[in-house]
């Protein structure tokens, strides 16, 4: 029966992997990509600076048949684009909506082989910080460019002769250490021109549109995030898609949703993908977030659906008396998800990294992952290469856990030596579970072996692995960083394709080290089914990690190589201790077997 169950289990694992591999090939193609509409650039108007009036790559104008998707906006042909720039970002403003059309990152390339910068919000539903829910002040409202200097731009419009709206933006310039270079300061003032007071209003500010970063991105970090001062919450694409188990059993509405509104205190709201984020922290908390899906063209050469997200944060504009002014302001961070940068912010903006989300929160990832990131960044500052930084970090973590793993290795070796006795006891007391348990515990006690000792390496390694996975997946510093044959440590190291399947070298090396390590480690069981399953575990783990980032496989490979060296040392230098064979008395207690010469009886 054990052999049969083992065969069935292995067969199911192989079938699951096959389904995962073929699912992307058998999936139906996504809807056709929307047409591209060319945009034109207008001549700039400025104060003492000549801002660039450039038109970015045209955004596709989308009219998806599914109304649950937000339509992509096209560039207005008569838009005037004004640019503010420093060494890190180029912020392109548009006079339509008086908001941020897009932001280019000077230090992050669009693709691994291109020198062009990555542009956030290039394909968009709305400009970032556009007012989206007040007619006459929305993304299609034409604002007047009042002034533009090298670090500041001001827009103004008048709504129906009763409200004067002024929007001001500024960024840090080189030498200004008072704020982060990726921060954009925003202020919107609303002056009441009417003879009567204005009622309280709700104003939605757009966070922008985030999309998948590559064909290898499966969207687990693509969401709308918000922070209420205590906890961070995330709205994923799946919540808008509908379906799910509860819908199948009739306990929930399974239809797709056009948007999700989540009323809550919003200290900051963010739209983000795997490596980049737009985070708006208002001077006063918001009252809700709004999330919508966006249908985007697929990546070149791929039929995989490309669904992005767009979001808003809702704020309250208080009522104002005639001539009074209400101000809505805050700080916008739009840039890479660099933990060491974000952790310096005042309101826990570093929670966009999602170190403690999902299964990782049960493995202390929220504590371990930041420490691992700090350690990796420190190592990189020493060696200047991210691959070497991962190797040094892995070795340091292995040295820290060395005393525990050495003790566990010795325990596993002792357990292996006890297996003949364990087998004999199981056969002797196979019909008496109580006696079997007593005899087994007596063997452990007399030989001073902890049966749980071999679990310590797993208890240490799994949290480190989960934390490193959580840290690696969203760390922008590793994007497009090469090491040996790997072109991008944040993506699979595919060197070729065989019959359409990727050939990834680093996971194969990881699997090889695990197999060799398994052969070196003494087997603490004589159960054939369990031993066979243990032999299959490296293969299963390799398949599970096959399409993960190469940096993760590099970490596991170095960890495995170090463990191999450690186990070889344990096997060679650990002294064998004699095995004590206890007997089980009538009362059930174990005692040592002794050769005692009986004393002669007195006459």
């Amino acid at each position: 029966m054990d052999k049969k169950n083992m065969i069935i289990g292995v067969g199911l694992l192989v079938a699951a992997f096959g389904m995962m591999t073929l699912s992307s090939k058998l999936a139906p193609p996504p809807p056709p990509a929307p047409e591209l509409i060319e945009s034109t650039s207008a001549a700039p108007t400025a104060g003492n600076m000549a801002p660039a009036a450039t038109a970015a790559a045209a955004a596709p104008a989308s009219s998806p048949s599914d109304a649950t998707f937000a339509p992509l906006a096209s560039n207005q042909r008569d838009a005037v684009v004004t640019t503010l720039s420093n060494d890190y970002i180029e912020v392109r403003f548009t006079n339509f909506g008086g908001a941020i059309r897009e932001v280019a990152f000077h230090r992050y390339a669009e693709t691994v082989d291109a020198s062009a910068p990555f542009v956030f919000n290039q394909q968009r539903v709305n400009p970032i910080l556009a007012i989206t829910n007040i007619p006459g002040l929305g993304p299609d409202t034409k604002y007047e460019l009042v002034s533009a200097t090298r670090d500041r731009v001001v827009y103004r419009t008048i709504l129906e002769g009763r409200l004067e709206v002024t929007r001001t933006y500024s960024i840090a310039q080189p030498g200004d250490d008072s704020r982060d270079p990726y921060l954009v300061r925003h202020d919107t003032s609303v002056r009441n021109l009417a003879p009567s007071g204005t009622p309280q209003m709700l104003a939605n500010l757009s966070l922008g549109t985030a999309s998948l970063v590559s064909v290898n991105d499966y969207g687990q970090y693509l969401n709308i995030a918000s922070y209420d001062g205590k906890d961070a919450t995330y709205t994923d694409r799946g919540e808008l898609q509908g379906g799910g188990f509860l819908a199948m059993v009739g306990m929930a509405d399974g239809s797709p949703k056009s948007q999700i509104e989540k009323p809550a205190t919003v200290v900051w709201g963010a739209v983000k993908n795997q490596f980049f984020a737009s985070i708006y922290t208002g001077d006063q908390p918001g009252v809700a977030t709004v999330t919508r899906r966006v249908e985007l063209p697929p990546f070149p050469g791929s039929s995989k659906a490309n669904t992005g997200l767009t979001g808003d944060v809702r704020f309250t504009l208080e009522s104002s008396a005639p001539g009074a002014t209400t101000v809505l302001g805050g700080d916008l961070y739009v840039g890479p998800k660099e933990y060491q940068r974000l952790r310096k912010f005042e309101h826990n903006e570093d929670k966009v990294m999602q170190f403690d989300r999902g299964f990782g929160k049960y493995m202390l990832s929220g504590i371990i992952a930041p420490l691992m990131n700090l350690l990796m960044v420190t190592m990189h500052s020493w060696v200047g290469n991210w691959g070497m930084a991962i190797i040094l970090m892995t070795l340091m973590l292995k040295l820290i856990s060395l005393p525990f793993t050495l003790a566990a290795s010795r325990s596993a070796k002792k357990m292996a030596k006890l297996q003949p006795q364990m087998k004999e006891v199981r056969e002797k007391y196979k019909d008496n579970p109580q006696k079997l348990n007593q005899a087994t515990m007596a063997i452990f006690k007399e030989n001073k072996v902890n049966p749980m000792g071999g679990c310590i390496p797993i208890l240490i390694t799994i949290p480190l692995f989960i934390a490193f996975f959580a840290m690696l997946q969203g760390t922008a510093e590793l994007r497009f960083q090469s090491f040996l044959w790997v072109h991008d440590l944040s993506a699979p190291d595919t060197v070729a394709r065989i019959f359409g399947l990727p050939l990834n070298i680093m996971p194969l090396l990881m699997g090889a080290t695990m197999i060799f390590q398994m052969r070196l480690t003494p087997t603490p069981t004589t159960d054939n089914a369990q031993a066979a399953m243990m032999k299959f575990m490296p293969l299963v783990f390799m398949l599970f990690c096959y399409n993960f980032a190469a940096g993760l496989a590099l970490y596991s490979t170095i960890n495995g190589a170090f463990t191999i060296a450690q186990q070889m040392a344990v096997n060679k230098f650990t002294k064998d201790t004699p095995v004590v064979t206890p007997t089980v008395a009538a009362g059930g207690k174990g005692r040592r077997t002794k050769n005692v010469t009986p004393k002669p009886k007195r006459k």
Side-chain angles (χ1 to χ4, degrees), residues 373-440:
N373 182 277
L374 176 61
L375 184 59
M376 185 179 68
V377 171
T378 302
M379 294 299 175
H380 177 261
S381 67
W382 293 353
V383 298
N385 180 277
W386 287 106
M388 287 301 301
I390 291 175
I391 292 174
L392 292 177
M393 180 200 69
T394 306
L395 294 177
M396 182 168 290
L397 291 173
K398 198 66 180 173
L399 287 174
I400 293 173
S401 61
L402 185 59
F404 304 100
T405 54
L406 282 176
S409 297
R410 297 189 190 102
S411 177
K413 188 175 181 180
K414 289 182 180 180
M415 283 289 293
K417 293 185 64 178
L418 295 178
Q419 291 314 304
Q421 291 189 49
M422 300 287 291
K423 183 178 181 180
E424 182 181 345
V425 166
R426 278 196 293 269
E427 291 176 355
K428 183 177 181 180
Y429 298 111
K430 60 183 179 181
D431 297 326
N432 192 333
Q434 183 178 2
K435 283 287 186 69
L436 174 61
N437 182 62
Q438 292 172 351
T440 302

Side-chain angles (χ1 to χ4, degrees), residues 61 101 131 182 218 234 238 275 288 291 321 323 333 386 419 481 509:
R101 191 168 86 166
I131 300 171
Y182 287 101
Y218 290 90
Y234 309 93
F275 298 117
T291 306
Y333 175 90
W386 287 106
Q419 291 314 304
Q481 297 299 319
L509 293 177

Side-chain angles (χ1 to χ4, degrees), residues 375-595:
L375 184 59
M376 185 179 68
V377 171
T378 302
M379 294 299 175
H380 177 261
S381 67
W382 293 353
V383 298
N385 180 277
W386 287 106
M388 287 301 301
I390 291 175
I391 292 174
L392 292 177
M393 180 200 69
T394 306
L395 294 177
M396 182 168 290
L397 291 173
K398 198 66 180 173
L399 287 174
I400 293 173
S401 61
L402 185 59
F404 304 100
T405 54
L406 282 176
S409 297
R410 297 189 190 102
S411 177
K413 188 175 181 180
K414 289 182 180 180
M415 283 289 293
K417 293 185 64 178
L418 295 178
Q419 291 314 304
Q421 291 189 49
M422 300 287 291
K423 183 178 181 180
E424 182 181 345
V425 166
R426 278 196 293 269
E427 291 176 355
K428 183 177 181 180
Y429 298 111
K430 60 183 179 181
D431 297 326
N432 192 333
Q434 183 178 2
K435 283 287 186 69
L436 174 61
N437 182 62
Q438 292 172 351
T440 302
M441 296 308 296
I443 293 174
F444 292 153
K445 182 178 180 181
E446 294 296 342
N447 290 276
K448 299 179 180 180
V449 173
N450 180 3
M452 298 300 295
C455 299
I456 295 178
I458 299 176
L459 295 176
I460 295 174
T461 303
I462 289 181
L464 293 178
F465 183 87
I466 296 295
F468 189 78
F469 174 81
M471 182 270 290
L472 179 72
Q473 290 298 100
T475 300
E477 292 97 327
L478 292 180
R479 183 173 177 264
F480 298 160
Q481 297 299 319
S482 62
F483 180 69
L484 300 177
W485 65 87
V486 181
H487 297 292
D488 183 358
L489 285 168
S490 68
D493 63 325
T494 303
V495 296
R497 288 188 175 270
I498 303 175
F499 301 110
L501 299 177
L503 176 60
N504 302 336
I505 302 299
M506 196 65 75
L508 297 178
L509 293 177
M510 178 189 73
T513 58
M514 294 182 69
I515 292 172
F516 191 64
Q517 176 186 342
M518 186 70 67
R519 292 188 175 184
L520 282 177
T521 305
T523 304
T525 179
T526 57
D527 188 281
N528 293 332
Q530 292 184 25
M533 287 300 295
M534 291 296 291
K535 291 181 180 179
F536 275 105
M537 284 304 296
L539 178 61
V540 173
F541 196 73
M542 183 190 71
L543 295 178
F544 178 74
C545 299
Y546 193 72
N547 285 316
F548 285 175
L552 186 67
L554 175 61
Y555 162 79
S556 295
T557 301
I558 299 302
N559 183 74
F562 191 95
T563 304
I564 288 172
Q566 169 191 299
Q567 190 63 52
M568 291 177 67
V570 169
N571 293 345
K572 183 175 181 179
F573 297 109
T574 300
K575 294 182 179 180
D576 290 334
T577 55
V579 175
V580 178
T581 304
T583 59
V584 179
K589 295 183 180 180
R591 63 184 182 184
R592 294 175 185 265
T593 301
K594 297 181 180 180
N595 295 323

Side-chain angles (χ1 to χ4, degrees), residues 170-467:
S170 63
I171 66 172
Q173 289 299 316
D176 182 4
D177 298 328
S178 61
R179 55 178 166 167
D180 191 273
Y182 287 101
L183 275 181
V184 180
R185 176 62 197 180
H186 154 257
D187 290 286
T188 294
S189 62
V190 181
R191 185 162 70 97
N192 183 11
L193 304 178
S196 58
T198 62
Q200 186 183 77
M201 295 185 294
L202 295 175
N204 287 12
L205 295 184
S206 171
L207 294 168
T209 302
S211 60
L212 301 176
V213 296
S214 71
V215 70
N216 295 315
D217 182 5
Y218 290 90
Q220 65 266 40
Y221 293 92
L222 177 67
N223 51 53
I224 303 299
S226 65
Y227 178 68
D228 62 4
K230 182 179 179 182
D231 297 311
T233 58
Y234 309 93
T235 304
D236 299 301
R237 296 178 302 176
E239 295 184 46
L240 291 148
Q241 185 175 349
F245 176 76
L246 293 179
M248 291 175 60
V249 297
M251 297 179 61
D253 180 12
S255 59
K257 301 175 178 61
S258 61
Q259 67 179 37
I260 290 180
E261 296 188 18
K262 291 187 176 179
T265 300
V266 183
V267 175
W268 56 256
V271 57
K272 64 189 186 67
N273 55 30
Q274 185 177 5
F275 298 117
F276 306 102
S278 168
I279 311 170
Y280 186 71
T281 307
D283 295 340
Q284 301 296 327
V287 295
T289 58
V290 182
T291 306
R292 296 198 69 183
R293 288 187 298 164
V294 186
E295 185 179 315
L296 300 168
F299 289 98
S302 172
S303 60
K304 176 183 170 183
N306 184 5
T307 303
L309 285 178
T310 186
D312 300 341
V313 178
R314 181 170 298 156
F315 292 91
T316 300
L317 276 175
E318 299 297 338
S319 59
S320 60
T325 299
T326 302
V327 178
L328 178 64
D331 292 322
L332 172 74
Y333 175 90
V334 55
K337 289 161 60 180
E338 297 176 2
Y339 174 73
Q340 298 307 320
R341 182 183 300 277
L342 293 172
R343 75 186 183 95
K344 299 175 184 178
F345 288 15
E346 184 178 354
H347 299 288
N348 292 327
E349 281 85 349
D350 59 286
K351 286 187 175 292
V352 299
M353 304 297 296
Q354 290 185 240
F355 286 156
D356 57 351
R357 193 185 181 204
F359 184 69
K361 67 183 178 182
Y362 303 108
M363 294 290 180
L364 300 177
S365 287
I367 299 174
I368 301 174
L371 295 176
M372 296 180 82
N373 182 277
L374 176 61
L375 184 59
M376 185 179 68
V377 171
T378 302
M379 294 299 175
H380 177 261
S381 67
W382 293 353
V383 298
N385 180 277
W386 287 106
M388 287 301 301
I390 291 175
I391 292 174
L392 292 177
M393 180 200 69
T394 306
L395 294 177
M396 182 168 290
L397 291 173
K398 198 66 180 173
L399 287 174
I400 293 173
S401 61
L402 185 59
F404 304 100
T405 54
L406 282 176
S409 297
R410 297 189 190 102
S411 177
K413 188 175 181 180
K414 289 182 180 180
M415 283 289 293
K417 293 185 64 178
L418 295 178
Q419 291 314 304
Q421 291 189 49
M422 300 287 291
K423 183 178 181 180
E424 182 181 345
V425 166
R426 278 196 293 269
E427 291 176 355
K428 183 177 181 180
Y429 298 111
K430 60 183 179 181
D431 297 326
N432 192 333
Q434 183 178 2
K435 283 287 186 69
L436 174 61
N437 182 62
Q438 292 172 351
T440 302
M441 296 308 296
I443 293 174
F444 292 153
K445 182 178 180 181
E446 294 296 342
N447 290 276
K448 299 179 180 180
V449 173
N450 180 3
M452 298 300 295
C455 299
I456 295 178
I458 299 176
L459 295 176
I460 295 174
T461 303
I462 289 181
L464 293 178
F465 183 87
I466 296 295

Side-chain angles (χ1 to χ4, degrees), residues 136-137 141-144 155-159 163-166:
L137 296 178
T141 302
K142 202 170 184 178
Y143 281 67
E144 171 195 1
Y155 291 98
R156 181 176 59 202
T157 191
I158 295 179
L159 175 62
L163 293 178
E164 180 187 54
V165 180
T166 303

